[in-house]
Amino acid sequence: MDVVTRIEQALDGAVREAESSGAPPRLAAAMRHAVFPGGARIRPRLCLAVAKACGTEDYPTAFAAAAAIELLHCASLVHDDLPCFDDAAVRRGKPSVHRAFGEPLAVLAGDALIVLAFETLARGAVAQLPALLLCVGRSVGMPFGIVAGQAWESEPRVDLARYHRAKTGALFAAATVGGAAAAGVESDCWRSLGEKLGEAFQVADDIRDVAGDPDDLGKPVGRDAALNRMSAARELGIDGALDRLDLLVAEAADSIPRCPGGAELRTLIRLEAQRFLPKELVRVAA
Amino acid sequence: MDVVTRIEQALDGAVREAESSGAPPRLAAAMRHAVFPGGARIRPRLCLAVAKACGTEDYPTAFAAAAAIELLHCASLVHDDLPCFDDAAVRRGKPSVHRAFGEPLAVLAGDALIVLAFETLARGAVAQLPALLLCVGRSVGMPFGIVAGQAWESEPRVDLARYHRAKTGALFAAATVGGAAAAGVESDCWRSLGEKLGEAFQVADDIRDVAGDPDDLGKPVGRDAALNRMSAARELGIDGALDRLDLLVAEAADSIPRCPGGAELRTLIRLEAQRFLPKELVRVAA
């Protein structure tokens, strides 16, 4: 069974826990709507690729970490789409959670997915639980996680690097650090890979928002300009942003710590990074 | 140092982690606003009283559990007060978080407090971490925790017992079960005490909403009627609700499992339950 199918199974198993008999049915449906069908599942795939490169034999722990990270990503999308933030009507090609289920259930679905992520870790990650909990908590909470990143949008003065590192980089870093921690090896040295990939993903997202096709992306484009948000593509132009993306991916690949599957992981990272952009925007490597 | 002071210190220590240098300052301020000054801190005091009655010697674990439970309670108040739920302007005698900081930071403060609760557990509760994590997660998430309780308000048909058990009982149950788990003893038998006290607290809250003084309570009264919410006081009348409260407290005290400090805990529970109501509403025991 391929890794993507196993990630979907791990997520399905987690969401089923929330859907047990006796649960309020509409909130259960809102949670499933938020998680399925998914996007590219980039973060959990990265987590599992790092665990494998580190020679893990503890797949239940690695899958628990991967699923927890994806659940937190889904939670952040649900709350980011709320009327008081982006007021997004569409996500992954279908109505956003608050459009489909109303604002109260969207707030609650995000909350419930955060809790479910930590429960998923607690159920699956016995030996490495404290380390994984702190790694994952750091990537979503205050002062440096996704929530902090989103909060920079409410500050009168924004530290741009800190904003991107928290809003996008932190969960990618949880994927790489968490993958190594799940494998039971020294994990802090894996942070740089996650942060570089997160920054690369953010640049790619900025490019898609300027030059992508909304039908392919499953969400509207031009949001950064409409919301006057910071964007590499607006700041550097498309070509400048593509250069920056190439540089970040190269730096990411170079930052991979010594590990049994290092060479394979380096190849995978370069291939995967091409999927950050729609085909027509990918440049043929020089 | 008395237990209330130590609870405040534990909460302050947790919130300080979120306020580290480099955090977005307004979200950090919103989190502190949500946690301080607190209410009666009933849930963490209950958690510590149970841990003590079970003969705990692991106070760091018990305080981590108590602080995590109170942080989750504060998070639930912030989100419950949002415009899409109760739209409450006042909480604990001052502006609610969304009135003081705006809706985006109120959503994020609730999210960040949920994450902080799990991090607080991970930092303080080493030996009992998996059991405490699952106990606390169950009390706030789906299918039976606070979030599920709140979600019953979005269902066309409500199971009233399930609604109250999830919305109020679950976190009281986490306090009693978590207190026993922190002490390292069999903990499931402590659930009934928490659920009964939670139900008693809910009845007292219904009575306060009908007969209380908004200045004493630090929040408006008459909200249940205004929002057409289920309420024991509206259903049974004040006297009927006071009878129900007495019965629940007696059942709670009788449900305390055999433990070293059982007699003392029983006395404490009866005394504490009187504080559920303002003085003028407490009836002298027959």
PDB file of all heavy atoms in Angstrom, chain A residues 234-269:
ATOM      1  N   ARG A 234       4.573  39.640  -5.475  1.00  0.00           N
ATOM      2  CA  ARG A 234       4.278  41.048  -5.661  1.00  0.00           C
ATOM      3  C   ARG A 234       5.532  41.892  -5.442  1.00  0.00           C
ATOM      4  O   ARG A 234       5.709  42.944  -6.057  1.00  0.00           O
ATOM      5  CB  ARG A 234       3.174  41.508  -4.708  1.00  0.00           C
ATOM      6  CG  ARG A 234       1.802  40.919  -5.048  1.00  0.00           C
ATOM      7  CD  ARG A 234       0.774  41.253  -3.994  1.00  0.00           C
ATOM      8  NE  ARG A 234       0.453  42.667  -3.982  1.00  0.00           N
ATOM      9  CZ  ARG A 234       0.019  43.339  -2.909  1.00  0.00           C
ATOM     10  NH1 ARG A 234      -0.115  42.721  -1.753  1.00  0.00           N
ATOM     11  NH2 ARG A 234      -0.252  44.618  -2.981  1.00  0.00           N
ATOM     12  N   GLU A 235       6.396  41.406  -4.559  1.00  0.00           N
ATOM     13  CA  GLU A 235       7.585  42.172  -4.173  1.00  0.00           C
ATOM     14  C   GLU A 235       8.712  41.998  -5.206  1.00  0.00           C
ATOM     15  O   GLU A 235       9.371  42.966  -5.587  1.00  0.00           O
ATOM     16  CB  GLU A 235       8.039  41.622  -2.814  1.00  0.00           C
ATOM     17  CG  GLU A 235       8.942  42.502  -1.987  1.00  0.00           C
ATOM     18  CD  GLU A 235       9.319  41.728  -0.726  1.00  0.00           C
ATOM     19  OE1 GLU A 235       8.407  41.220  -0.032  1.00  0.00           O
ATOM     20  OE2 GLU A 235      10.523  41.615  -0.456  1.00  0.00           O
ATOM     21  N   LEU A 236       8.907  40.744  -5.671  1.00  0.00           N
ATOM     22  CA  LEU A 236      10.064  40.428  -6.535  1.00  0.00           C
ATOM     23  C   LEU A 236       9.682  40.245  -8.006  1.00  0.00           C
ATOM     24  O   LEU A 236      10.563  40.085  -8.853  1.00  0.00           O
ATOM     25  CB  LEU A 236      10.737  39.123  -6.070  1.00  0.00           C
ATOM     26  CG  LEU A 236      11.137  39.025  -4.589  1.00  0.00           C
ATOM     27  CD1 LEU A 236      11.606  37.621  -4.256  1.00  0.00           C
ATOM     28  CD2 LEU A 236      12.244  40.040  -4.274  1.00  0.00           C
ATOM     29  N   GLY A 237       8.402  40.239  -8.329  1.00  0.00           N
ATOM     30  CA  GLY A 237       7.982  39.873  -9.689  1.00  0.00           C
ATOM     31  C   GLY A 237       8.011  38.350  -9.823  1.00  0.00           C
ATOM     32  O   GLY A 237       8.647  37.662  -9.020  1.00  0.00           O
ATOM     33  N   ILE A 238       7.318  37.828 -10.862  1.00  0.00           N
ATOM     34  CA  ILE A 238       7.241  36.369 -11.020  1.00  0.00           C
ATOM     35  C   ILE A 238       8.631  35.753 -11.190  1.00  0.00           C
ATOM     36  O   ILE A 238       8.978  34.772 -10.537  1.00  0.00           O
ATOM     37  CB  ILE A 238       6.368  35.987 -12.243  1.00  0.00           C
ATOM     38  CG1 ILE A 238       4.937  36.487 -12.050  1.00  0.00           C
ATOM     39  CG2 ILE A 238       6.386  34.485 -12.484  1.00  0.00           C
ATOM     40  CD1 ILE A 238       4.096  35.626 -11.191  1.00  0.00           C
ATOM     41  N   ASP A 239       9.445  36.334 -12.066  1.00  0.00           N
ATOM     42  CA  ASP A 239      10.767  35.735 -12.315  1.00  0.00           C
ATOM     43  C   ASP A 239      11.642  35.773 -11.069  1.00  0.00           C
ATOM     44  O   ASP A 239      12.322  34.795 -10.749  1.00  0.00           O
ATOM     45  CB  ASP A 239      11.458  36.454 -13.485  1.00  0.00           C
ATOM     46  CG  ASP A 239      11.134  35.768 -14.808  1.00  0.00           C
ATOM     47  OD1 ASP A 239      10.894  34.536 -14.785  1.00  0.00           O
ATOM     48  OD2 ASP A 239      11.096  36.464 -15.835  1.00  0.00           O
ATOM     49  N   GLY A 240      11.606  36.904 -10.379  1.00  0.00           N
ATOM     50  CA  GLY A 240      12.387  37.016  -9.142  1.00  0.00           C
ATOM     51  C   GLY A 240      11.918  36.002  -8.113  1.00  0.00           C
ATOM     52  O   GLY A 240      12.736  35.375  -7.409  1.00  0.00           O
ATOM     53  N   ALA A 241      10.609  35.795  -8.035  1.00  0.00           N
ATOM     54  CA  ALA A 241      10.074  34.845  -7.065  1.00  0.00           C
ATOM     55  C   ALA A 241      10.452  33.412  -7.446  1.00  0.00           C
ATOM     56  O   ALA A 241      10.765  32.587  -6.576  1.00  0.00           O
ATOM     57  CB  ALA A 241       8.553  34.992  -6.966  1.00  0.00           C
ATOM     58  N   LEU A 242      10.463  33.121  -8.770  1.00  0.00           N
ATOM     59  CA  LEU A 242      10.873  31.771  -9.201  1.00  0.00           C
ATOM     60  C   LEU A 242      12.343  31.523  -8.870  1.00  0.00           C
ATOM     61  O   LEU A 242      12.717  30.422  -8.443  1.00  0.00           O
ATOM     62  CB  LEU A 242      10.615  31.601 -10.707  1.00  0.00           C
ATOM     63  CG  LEU A 242       9.128  31.424 -11.100  1.00  0.00           C
ATOM     64  CD1 LEU A 242       8.941  31.586 -12.611  1.00  0.00           C
ATOM     65  CD2 LEU A 242       8.583  30.063 -10.652  1.00  0.00           C
ATOM     66  N   ASP A 243      13.193  32.553  -9.040  1.00  0.00           N
ATOM     67  CA  ASP A 243      14.606  32.423  -8.647  1.00  0.00           C
ATOM     68  C   ASP A 243      14.721  32.109  -7.160  1.00  0.00           C
ATOM     69  O   ASP A 243      15.483  31.255  -6.733  1.00  0.00           O
ATOM     70  CB  ASP A 243      15.365  33.734  -8.928  1.00  0.00           C
ATOM     71  CG  ASP A 243      15.603  33.944 -10.420  1.00  0.00           C
ATOM     72  OD1 ASP A 243      15.494  32.959 -11.183  1.00  0.00           O
ATOM     73  OD2 ASP A 243      15.869  35.106 -10.814  1.00  0.00           O
ATOM     74  N   ARG A 244      13.967  32.867  -6.381  1.00  0.00           N
ATOM     75  CA  ARG A 244      14.002  32.698  -4.925  1.00  0.00           C
ATOM     76  C   ARG A 244      13.565  31.283  -4.537  1.00  0.00           C
ATOM     77  O   ARG A 244      14.161  30.642  -3.672  1.00  0.00           O
ATOM     78  CB  ARG A 244      13.073  33.742  -4.289  1.00  0.00           C
ATOM     79  CG  ARG A 244      12.886  33.660  -2.815  1.00  0.00           C
ATOM     80  CD  ARG A 244      13.705  34.736  -2.072  1.00  0.00           C
ATOM     81  NE  ARG A 244      13.687  34.477  -0.636  1.00  0.00           N
ATOM     82  CZ  ARG A 244      14.710  34.009   0.047  1.00  0.00           C
ATOM     83  NH1 ARG A 244      15.875  33.810  -0.535  1.00  0.00           N
ATOM     84  NH2 ARG A 244      14.615  33.765   1.328  1.00  0.00           N
ATOM     85  N   LEU A 245      12.527  30.771  -5.226  1.00  0.00           N
ATOM     86  CA  LEU A 245      12.038  29.421  -4.976  1.00  0.00           C
ATOM     87  C   LEU A 245      13.127  28.388  -5.259  1.00  0.00           C
ATOM     88  O   LEU A 245      13.377  27.490  -4.439  1.00  0.00           O
ATOM     89  CB  LEU A 245      10.803  29.173  -5.862  1.00  0.00           C
ATOM     90  CG  LEU A 245      10.164  27.788  -5.829  1.00  0.00           C
ATOM     91  CD1 LEU A 245       9.724  27.415  -4.427  1.00  0.00           C
ATOM     92  CD2 LEU A 245       8.956  27.738  -6.766  1.00  0.00           C
ATOM     93  N   ASP A 246      13.804  28.527  -6.412  1.00  0.00           N
ATOM     94  CA  ASP A 246      14.870  27.578  -6.753  1.00  0.00           C
ATOM     95  C   ASP A 246      15.964  27.581  -5.695  1.00  0.00           C
ATOM     96  O   ASP A 246      16.461  26.528  -5.287  1.00  0.00           O
ATOM     97  CB  ASP A 246      15.497  27.964  -8.110  1.00  0.00           C
ATOM     98  CG  ASP A 246      14.553  27.652  -9.275  1.00  0.00           C
ATOM     99  OD1 ASP A 246      13.570  26.922  -9.041  1.00  0.00           O
ATOM    100  OD2 ASP A 246      14.805  28.151 -10.385  1.00  0.00           O
ATOM    101  N   LEU A 247      16.321  28.784  -5.246  1.00  0.00           N
ATOM    102  CA  LEU A 247      17.394  28.903  -4.257  1.00  0.00           C
ATOM    103  C   LEU A 247      17.004  28.212  -2.952  1.00  0.00           C
ATOM    104  O   LEU A 247      17.802  27.470  -2.353  1.00  0.00           O
ATOM    105  CB  LEU A 247      17.696  30.394  -4.011  1.00  0.00           C
ATOM    106  CG  LEU A 247      18.780  30.673  -2.975  1.00  0.00           C
ATOM    107  CD1 LEU A 247      20.148  30.222  -3.492  1.00  0.00           C
ATOM    108  CD2 LEU A 247      18.822  32.165  -2.609  1.00  0.00           C
ATOM    109  N   LEU A 248      15.772  28.460  -2.511  1.00  0.00           N
ATOM    110  CA  LEU A 248      15.328  27.878  -1.245  1.00  0.00           C
ATOM    111  C   LEU A 248      15.294  26.353  -1.301  1.00  0.00           C
ATOM    112  O   LEU A 248      15.678  25.674  -0.342  1.00  0.00           O
ATOM    113  CB  LEU A 248      13.932  28.417  -0.876  1.00  0.00           C
ATOM    114  CG  LEU A 248      13.926  29.858  -0.358  1.00  0.00           C
ATOM    115  CD1 LEU A 248      12.509  30.432  -0.392  1.00  0.00           C
ATOM    116  CD2 LEU A 248      14.490  29.916   1.064  1.00  0.00           C
ATOM    117  N   VAL A 249      14.860  25.800  -2.440  1.00  0.00           N
ATOM    118  CA  VAL A 249      14.797  24.338  -2.567  1.00  0.00           C
ATOM    119  C   VAL A 249      16.213  23.759  -2.557  1.00  0.00           C
ATOM    120  O   VAL A 249      16.474  22.730  -1.912  1.00  0.00           O
ATOM    121  CB  VAL A 249      14.020  23.932  -3.835  1.00  0.00           C
ATOM    122  CG1 VAL A 249      14.109  22.421  -4.059  1.00  0.00           C
ATOM    123  CG2 VAL A 249      12.561  24.364  -3.724  1.00  0.00           C
ATOM    124  N   ALA A 250      17.127  24.439  -3.226  1.00  0.00           N
ATOM    125  CA  ALA A 250      18.526  23.967  -3.220  1.00  0.00           C
ATOM    126  C   ALA A 250      19.095  24.008  -1.804  1.00  0.00           C
ATOM    127  O   ALA A 250      19.746  23.065  -1.339  1.00  0.00           O
ATOM    128  CB  ALA A 250      19.366  24.824  -4.168  1.00  0.00           C
ATOM    129  N   GLU A 251      18.830  25.113  -1.085  1.00  0.00           N
ATOM    130  CA  GLU A 251      19.318  25.226   0.297  1.00  0.00           C
ATOM    131  C   GLU A 251      18.696  24.152   1.186  1.00  0.00           C
ATOM    132  O   GLU A 251      19.346  23.602   2.075  1.00  0.00           O
ATOM    133  CB  GLU A 251      18.999  26.613   0.861  1.00  0.00           C
ATOM    134  CG  GLU A 251      19.890  27.715   0.293  1.00  0.00           C
ATOM    135  CD  GLU A 251      19.523  29.104   0.836  1.00  0.00           C
ATOM    136  OE1 GLU A 251      18.545  29.218   1.607  1.00  0.00           O
ATOM    137  OE2 GLU A 251      20.222  30.068   0.490  1.00  0.00           O
ATOM    138  N   ALA A 252      17.419  23.878   0.949  1.00  0.00           N
ATOM    139  CA  ALA A 252      16.736  22.840   1.733  1.00  0.00           C
ATOM    140  C   ALA A 252      17.424  21.497   1.522  1.00  0.00           C
ATOM    141  O   ALA A 252      17.780  20.803   2.485  1.00  0.00           O
ATOM    142  CB  ALA A 252      15.261  22.762   1.328  1.00  0.00           C
ATOM    143  N   ALA A 253      17.635  21.145   0.243  1.00  0.00           N
ATOM    144  CA  ALA A 253      18.256  19.847  -0.057  1.00  0.00           C
ATOM    145  C   ALA A 253      19.649  19.755   0.563  1.00  0.00           C
ATOM    146  O   ALA A 253      20.051  18.705   1.078  1.00  0.00           O
ATOM    147  CB  ALA A 253      18.303  19.637  -1.571  1.00  0.00           C
ATOM    148  N   ASP A 254      20.381  20.864   0.543  1.00  0.00           N
ATOM    149  CA  ASP A 254      21.736  20.859   1.105  1.00  0.00           C
ATOM    150  C   ASP A 254      21.740  20.760   2.625  1.00  0.00           C
ATOM    151  O   ASP A 254      22.769  20.435   3.221  1.00  0.00           O
ATOM    152  CB  ASP A 254      22.480  22.140   0.694  1.00  0.00           C
ATOM    153  CG  ASP A 254      22.852  22.113  -0.782  1.00  0.00           C
ATOM    154  OD1 ASP A 254      22.800  21.013  -1.378  1.00  0.00           O
ATOM    155  OD2 ASP A 254      23.169  23.184  -1.335  1.00  0.00           O
ATOM    156  N   SER A 255      20.619  21.114   3.258  1.00  0.00           N
ATOM    157  CA  SER A 255      20.603  21.159   4.726  1.00  0.00           C
ATOM    158  C   SER A 255      20.273  19.802   5.364  1.00  0.00           C
ATOM    159  O   SER A 255      20.260  19.676   6.587  1.00  0.00           O
ATOM    160  CB  SER A 255      19.570  22.187   5.202  1.00  0.00           C
ATOM    161  OG  SER A 255      18.275  21.616   5.177  1.00  0.00           O
ATOM    162  N   ILE A 256      19.992  18.799   4.530  1.00  0.00           N
ATOM    163  CA  ILE A 256      19.602  17.487   5.081  1.00  0.00           C
ATOM    164  C   ILE A 256      20.753  16.900   5.910  1.00  0.00           C
ATOM    165  O   ILE A 256      21.858  16.740   5.402  1.00  0.00           O
ATOM    166  CB  ILE A 256      19.209  16.515   3.936  1.00  0.00           C
ATOM    167  CG1 ILE A 256      17.928  17.011   3.260  1.00  0.00           C
ATOM    168  CG2 ILE A 256      19.026  15.099   4.461  1.00  0.00           C
ATOM    169  CD1 ILE A 256      17.555  16.235   2.008  1.00  0.00           C
ATOM    170  N   PRO A 257      20.499  16.610   7.181  1.00  0.00           N
ATOM    171  CA  PRO A 257      21.562  16.049   8.020  1.00  0.00           C
ATOM    172  C   PRO A 257      21.978  14.649   7.531  1.00  0.00           C
ATOM    173  O   PRO A 257      21.214  13.986   6.820  1.00  0.00           O
ATOM    174  CB  PRO A 257      20.908  15.960   9.406  1.00  0.00           C
ATOM    175  CG  PRO A 257      19.737  16.880   9.372  1.00  0.00           C
ATOM    176  CD  PRO A 257      19.263  16.852   7.950  1.00  0.00           C
ATOM    177  N   ARG A 258      23.148  14.235   7.946  1.00  0.00           N
ATOM    178  CA  ARG A 258      23.626  12.902   7.596  1.00  0.00           C
ATOM    179  C   ARG A 258      22.653  11.852   8.167  1.00  0.00           C
ATOM    180  O   ARG A 258      22.301  11.900   9.347  1.00  0.00           O
ATOM    181  CB  ARG A 258      25.025  12.704   8.221  1.00  0.00           C
ATOM    182  CG  ARG A 258      25.815  11.537   7.674  1.00  0.00           C
ATOM    183  CD  ARG A 258      27.196  11.487   8.337  1.00  0.00           C
ATOM    184  NE  ARG A 258      28.031  12.627   7.939  1.00  0.00           N
ATOM    185  CZ  ARG A 258      28.843  12.617   6.870  1.00  0.00           C
ATOM    186  NH1 ARG A 258      28.924  11.527   6.102  1.00  0.00           N
ATOM    187  NH2 ARG A 258      29.565  13.672   6.574  1.00  0.00           N
ATOM    188  N   CYS A 259      22.194  10.949   7.314  1.00  0.00           N
ATOM    189  CA  CYS A 259      21.239   9.918   7.762  1.00  0.00           C
ATOM    190  C   CYS A 259      21.264   8.781   6.754  1.00  0.00           C
ATOM    191  O   CYS A 259      21.728   8.963   5.622  1.00  0.00           O
ATOM    192  CB  CYS A 259      19.829  10.504   7.883  1.00  0.00           C
ATOM    193  SG  CYS A 259      19.163  11.120   6.327  1.00  0.00           S
ATOM    194  N   PRO A 260      20.746   7.598   7.125  1.00  0.00           N
ATOM    195  CA  PRO A 260      20.843   6.436   6.220  1.00  0.00           C
ATOM    196  C   PRO A 260      20.234   6.689   4.838  1.00  0.00           C
ATOM    197  O   PRO A 260      20.792   6.271   3.832  1.00  0.00           O
ATOM    198  CB  PRO A 260      20.065   5.340   6.962  1.00  0.00           C
ATOM    199  CG  PRO A 260      20.053   5.744   8.388  1.00  0.00           C
ATOM    200  CD  PRO A 260      20.142   7.234   8.427  1.00  0.00           C
ATOM    201  N   GLY A 261      19.113   7.399   4.775  1.00  0.00           N
ATOM    202  CA  GLY A 261      18.453   7.573   3.469  1.00  0.00           C
ATOM    203  C   GLY A 261      18.613   8.966   2.901  1.00  0.00           C
ATOM    204  O   GLY A 261      17.714   9.460   2.205  1.00  0.00           O
ATOM    205  N   GLY A 262      19.742   9.625   3.191  1.00  0.00           N
ATOM    206  CA  GLY A 262      19.934  11.027   2.819  1.00  0.00           C
ATOM    207  C   GLY A 262      19.867  11.290   1.327  1.00  0.00           C
ATOM    208  O   GLY A 262      19.182  12.220   0.873  1.00  0.00           O
ATOM    209  N   ALA A 263      20.540  10.467   0.540  1.00  0.00           N
ATOM    210  CA  ALA A 263      20.604  10.714  -0.909  1.00  0.00           C
ATOM    211  C   ALA A 263      19.210  10.597  -1.527  1.00  0.00           C
ATOM    212  O   ALA A 263      18.777  11.453  -2.319  1.00  0.00           O
ATOM    213  CB  ALA A 263      21.562   9.716  -1.555  1.00  0.00           C
ATOM    214  N   GLU A 264      18.497   9.563  -1.123  1.00  0.00           N
ATOM    215  CA  GLU A 264      17.146   9.338  -1.644  1.00  0.00           C
ATOM    216  C   GLU A 264      16.228  10.507  -1.256  1.00  0.00           C
ATOM    217  O   GLU A 264      15.436  10.992  -2.068  1.00  0.00           O
ATOM    218  CB  GLU A 264      16.619   8.027  -1.053  1.00  0.00           C
ATOM    219  CG  GLU A 264      15.452   7.420  -1.789  1.00  0.00           C
ATOM    220  CD  GLU A 264      14.920   6.180  -1.038  1.00  0.00           C
ATOM    221  OE1 GLU A 264      15.709   5.557  -0.286  1.00  0.00           O
ATOM    222  OE2 GLU A 264      13.731   5.885  -1.183  1.00  0.00           O
ATOM    223  N   LEU A 265      16.363  10.961  -0.016  1.00  0.00           N
ATOM    224  CA  LEU A 265      15.516  12.062   0.450  1.00  0.00           C
ATOM    225  C   LEU A 265      15.800  13.339  -0.340  1.00  0.00           C
ATOM    226  O   LEU A 265      14.891  14.086  -0.689  1.00  0.00           O
ATOM    227  CB  LEU A 265      15.735  12.306   1.958  1.00  0.00           C
ATOM    228  CG  LEU A 265      14.895  13.418   2.575  1.00  0.00           C
ATOM    229  CD1 LEU A 265      13.401  13.111   2.475  1.00  0.00           C
ATOM    230  CD2 LEU A 265      15.271  13.646   4.047  1.00  0.00           C
ATOM    231  N   ARG A 266      17.092  13.567  -0.647  1.00  0.00           N
ATOM    232  CA  ARG A 266      17.471  14.771  -1.401  1.00  0.00           C
ATOM    233  C   ARG A 266      16.792  14.775  -2.782  1.00  0.00           C
ATOM    234  O   ARG A 266      16.224  15.787  -3.207  1.00  0.00           O
ATOM    235  CB  ARG A 266      19.009  14.815  -1.530  1.00  0.00           C
ATOM    236  CG  ARG A 266      19.586  16.195  -1.656  1.00  0.00           C
ATOM    237  CD  ARG A 266      21.097  16.211  -1.369  1.00  0.00           C
ATOM    238  NE  ARG A 266      21.367  16.004   0.051  1.00  0.00           N
ATOM    239  CZ  ARG A 266      22.099  15.021   0.567  1.00  0.00           C
ATOM    240  NH1 ARG A 266      22.672  14.129  -0.218  1.00  0.00           N
ATOM    241  NH2 ARG A 266      22.262  14.930   1.868  1.00  0.00           N
ATOM    242  N   THR A 267      16.815  13.634  -3.449  1.00  0.00           N
ATOM    243  CA  THR A 267      16.154  13.510  -4.759  1.00  0.00           C
ATOM    244  C   THR A 267      14.652  13.759  -4.634  1.00  0.00           C
ATOM    245  O   THR A 267      14.046  14.494  -5.427  1.00  0.00           O
ATOM    246  CB  THR A 267      16.387  12.087  -5.323  1.00  0.00           C
ATOM    247  OG1 THR A 267      17.787  11.822  -5.284  1.00  0.00           O
ATOM    248  CG2 THR A 267      15.863  11.975  -6.746  1.00  0.00           C
ATOM    249  N   LEU A 268      14.078  13.153  -3.603  1.00  0.00           N
ATOM    250  CA  LEU A 268      12.633  13.289  -3.389  1.00  0.00           C
ATOM    251  C   LEU A 268      12.245  14.744  -3.165  1.00  0.00           C
ATOM    252  O   LEU A 268      11.258  15.238  -3.722  1.00  0.00           O
ATOM    253  CB  LEU A 268      12.238  12.443  -2.174  1.00  0.00           C
ATOM    254  CG  LEU A 268      10.744  12.430  -1.840  1.00  0.00           C
ATOM    255  CD1 LEU A 268       9.977  11.584  -2.852  1.00  0.00           C
ATOM    256  CD2 LEU A 268      10.496  11.892  -0.429  1.00  0.00           C
ATOM    257  N   ILE A 269      13.025  15.463  -2.344  1.00  0.00           N
ATOM    258  CA  ILE A 269      12.721  16.864  -2.022  1.00  0.00           C
ATOM    259  C   ILE A 269      12.707  17.701  -3.304  1.00  0.00           C
ATOM    260  O   ILE A 269      11.807  18.516  -3.513  1.00  0.00           O
ATOM    261  CB  ILE A 269      13.794  17.430  -1.038  1.00  0.00           C
ATOM    262  CG1 ILE A 269      13.740  16.722   0.314  1.00  0.00           C
ATOM    263  CG2 ILE A 269      13.683  18.948  -0.908  1.00  0.00           C
ATOM    264  CD1 ILE A 269      12.623  17.111   1.207  1.00  0.00           C
TER     265      ILE A 269
END
